[in-house]
Amino acid sequence: MEEKPAPPSSPSVSPPASASPPPVDDPPGTLACAALAEAIADSSLMTPGIVDGIAGASATADAPVADAAERLAVAYASALAAAGKETEPDAVAAVGAAASDMANVCSDSGLQTVG
């Protein structure tokens, strides 16, 4: 009997690495408030991307937290527009005030506000 050559081995195919599921925002607003608390603790509110991250995390938050995050985002945008102008210090202070307001909203909602 003649031996047949073994079929070429196929390369092993591993399943694609799946991205980890997004963190669960339970209760709603937890992610935004935790991001705010971290930004306050790190004094990084004026760091590019930080306020955008907080605002993005508020997408699943309840109305008070989402509204406070929107006010923070608006204050941050105003501060960016005021860069290099006489109004810059007041605009940056408004970001701090909006962050403080949001921290109060988070606290009133029973969500994490300290890092």
Side-chain angles (χ1 to χ4, degrees):
M1 202 172 211
E2 194 176 305
E3 273 188 46
K4 294 181 182 178
S9 63
S10 60
S12 86
V13 178
S14 46
S18 61
S20 60
V24 176
D25 196 19
D26 187 27
T30 300
L31 297 177
C33 290
L36 174 71
E38 184 176 336
I40 290 171
D42 294 345
S43 299
S44 61
L45 283 168
M46 292 305 296
T47 302
I50 297 296
V51 170
D52 291 338
I54 294 167
S58 74
T60 56
D62 62 355
V65 172
D67 292 346
E70 177 63 23
R71 290 190 296 273
L72 176 61
V74 168
Y76 179 74
S78 294
L80 289 181
K85 299 177 183 170
E86 265 185 47
T87 58
E88 182 178 15
D90 290 337
V92 171
V95 172
S100 177
D101 173 63
M102 184 174 171
N104 288 333
V105 170
C106 289
S107 179
D108 292 347
S109 297
L111 302 170
Q112 177 184 357
T113 58
V114 293

